[in-house]
Amino acid sequence: AWIGFEFCYYGTIMLVIRVFGNTEEVGDDENGAVFDYSAILVSSSSEILGVAIVIMTIDRVGRITTQMGSYAAGGTLLFLLCVLSDSADRWILVVLAFLARSFEMGGTCVTWVSTAEILDTEVRTTGHGAANAVGRLGGMLCPYVVAGNTPLVVVAFVMLLVHGFTMFCASQ
């Protein structure tokens, strides 16, 4: 689940920046980027809400259910964000980005908690470190899919598949 969650988390951050940023001509021969910083700030603040929701639900609903629900909601919202990025109003995109990042953060928190709980005390730090190292591979692969000139619709489907893979791994 770690390689998928890292791919999903970093992919969500990069996609939000890609949706709310435009590369344009700045001067005669200079290229630059223009970002909607307020939309990016609002979506970034959503991670606080994601942590708060997980704190309230992780013991009542359960780790696996919270983790799978977070990845399912995050993947669906991210898919909608990508598909609607050219046609929807700005406020709809901001709400989708806010909720997607909130659920991604929630799933990430539960992954960290549940991994530590399933490992024996003797191997807990080694196992957590190894899982984190494998997860970083997902973070390293993510820019090759999300960034660049890949159409957002293609990225949306890839991210949805990775979210589904991560949900499957979390349910095992």
Side-chain angles (χ1 to χ4, degrees):
W2 276 74
I3 194 166
F5 110 69
E6 294 268 358
F7 190 97
C8 294
Y9 180 75
Y10 290 118
T12 301
I13 292 171
M14 285 191 266
L15 273 174
V16 167
I17 293 170
R18 186 172 167 191
V19 167
F20 293 113
N22 295 318
T23 303
E24 313 179 329
E25 293 291 325
V26 175
D28 292 334
D29 55 353
E30 294 181 40
N31 287 327
V34 177
F35 295 101
D36 185 352
Y37 288 108
S38 60
I40 295 170
L41 176 68
V42 168
S43 72
S44 298
S45 66
S46 69
E47 294 190 3
I48 298 167
L49 176 66
V51 172
I53 289 172
V54 166
I55 289 170
M56 292 184 290
T57 61
I58 195 168
D59 288 327
R60 288 188 195 135
V61 179
R63 274 106 171 109
I64 302 302
T65 306
T66 304
Q67 191 175 18
M68 289 179 59
S70 294
Y71 288 128
T76 304
L77 291 163
L78 194 61
F79 179 81
L80 291 173
L81 178 68
C82 290
V83 170
L84 299 174
S85 64
D86 292 331
S87 61
D89 290 335
R90 178 185 175 273
W91 70 271
I92 292 173
L93 297 177
V94 171
V95 168
L96 288 172
F98 182 90
L99 292 173
R101 282 193 69 170
S102 181
F103 282 111
E104 288 297 332
M105 187 61 181
T108 300
C109 291
V110 178
T111 302
W112 277 93
V113 169
S114 63
T115 301
E117 290 177 349
I118 62 172
L119 297 172
D120 290 336
T121 304
E122 295 82 23
V123 296
R124 186 169 295 144
T125 55
T126 305
H128 221 213
N132 193 10
V134 169
R136 297 297 170 180
L137 294 174
M140 290 186 323
L141 293 173
C142 184
Y144 295 107
V145 175
V146 175
N149 295 329
T150 310
L152 281 176
V153 175
V154 173
V155 175
F157 279 107
V158 170
M159 291 297 287
L160 196 60
L161 287 173
V162 174
H163 276 85
F165 167 76
T166 306
M167 282 178 45
F168 174 75
C169 290
S171 69
Q172 300 303 314

